[in-house]
Amino acid sequence: MNEAQAFHPFETLATALIPHSHEGDDGSHDLAHILRVFKNAMRIQAHEGGDARVLAAAVLLHDCVAVEKNSPLRAQASALAAEKASGVLGALGWPQADIAAVAHAVLTHSFSANIDPQTLEAKILQDADRLDAIGMVGAGRCFYIGGRMASSLYDPLDPAAGNRPLDDKRYVIDHFQTKLFKLADGFKTAAGRALAAERDKRLRDFLDAFMDEI
């Protein structure tokens, strides 16, 4: 199986968009992440409906501009990606209405951007992307990003932050409290919320086990 075939039934679309889909060497926002988000999105779309082709294009291009987590431009990443996505789809001859639908989904998927999605496809993309931030994959990505940012795993004297402010730039496991445990409450679709509840429990069980070992 080649990369495009993994995005069945949108192999032709994937062939055109994969070369534009990601930049840099961030293993938490690579093609594997995009494929996981695609699977999440198609799973949600099967229950919720929506334009699957628009959704697939939005998934493939949602991280097409790379901005590191610690960059001052982080909050602008999804706007930059939406702009790039519009240009890519325009060059492929997509109708303006469909380009706008994809761009809106890309713009609003980001937690950092803090913009509410207005369309069903945008809500599904946001849910699908956030599913990849919780559960076991979410835990793995959290530690991976912490390594890229040269963070410590935890504060050895106060790992649970009982007597200090949470600081997820210094300590990886603080990110569970500052962000990851908050995500499940913000899902926009019923199917997404059900999946999020399962993964949120896994993430909390993971942290409990981690804390037990330290």
Side-chain angles (χ1 to χ4, degrees):
M1 177 186 292
N2 63 33
E3 292 175 342
Q5 288 173 326
F7 291 87
H8 176 79
F10 298 101
E11 295 92 337
T12 301
L13 181 62
T15 297
L17 297 185
I18 285 174
H20 307 282
S21 64
H22 56 289
E23 302 173 336
D25 62 352
D26 182 356
S28 67
H29 294 93
D30 57 3
L31 188 63
H33 163 70
I34 294 168
L35 181 56
R36 291 191 303 270
V37 174
F38 175 77
K39 291 177 178 178
N40 292 338
M42 292 300 107
R43 189 173 177 183
I44 296 170
Q45 190 270 341
H47 292 277
E48 302 287 341
D51 188 322
R53 181 171 175 265
V54 164
L55 181 59
V59 168
L60 281 156
L61 296 174
H62 78 280
D63 281 336
C64 64
V65 173
V67 180
E68 288 282 4
K69 291 288 187 183
N70 59 355
S71 169
L73 295 175
R74 183 62 194 168
Q76 301 174 40
S78 66
L80 295 171
E83 182 179 359
K84 178 180 173 180
S86 296
V88 169
L89 295 176
L92 293 174
W94 273 48
Q96 187 56 46
D98 290 346
I99 293 174
V102 171
H104 174 71
V106 172
L107 173 66
T108 60
H109 88 274
S110 169
F111 184 89
S112 301
N114 194 29
I115 303 171
D116 283 335
Q118 300 300 314
T119 65
L120 178 55
E121 294 80 15
K123 292 174 182 178
I124 293 173
L125 175 60
Q126 186 181 97
D127 283 2
D129 186 58
R130 292 186 182 185
L131 279 174
D132 205 51
I134 56 179
M136 293 296 94
V137 171
R141 292 177 73 211
C142 184
F143 284 100
Y144 170 86
I145 294 167
R148 283 178 69 88
M149 301 296 107
S151 303
S152 299
L153 292 180
Y154 57 90
D155 180 347
L157 301 181
D158 189 3
N163 295 292
R164 64 172 177 83
L166 291 165
D167 185 353
D168 60 358
K169 290 183 173 60
R170 292 185 65 189
Y171 307 117
V172 173
I173 65 167
D174 284 17
H175 195 61
F176 285 64
Q177 297 288 350
T178 60
K179 179 179 177 182
L180 301 187
F181 287 160
K182 299 176 181 179
L183 293 178
D185 290 335
F187 277 65
K188 298 298 192 295
T189 67
R193 284 191 294 272
L195 292 168
E198 296 174 4
R199 296 198 188 187
D200 182 70
K201 183 180 186 304
R202 293 175 195 167
L203 194 64
R204 293 175 188 274
D205 289 345
F206 173 89
L207 184 60
D208 287 344
F210 184 92
M211 297 297 286
D212 183 63
E213 294 186 12
I214 61 174

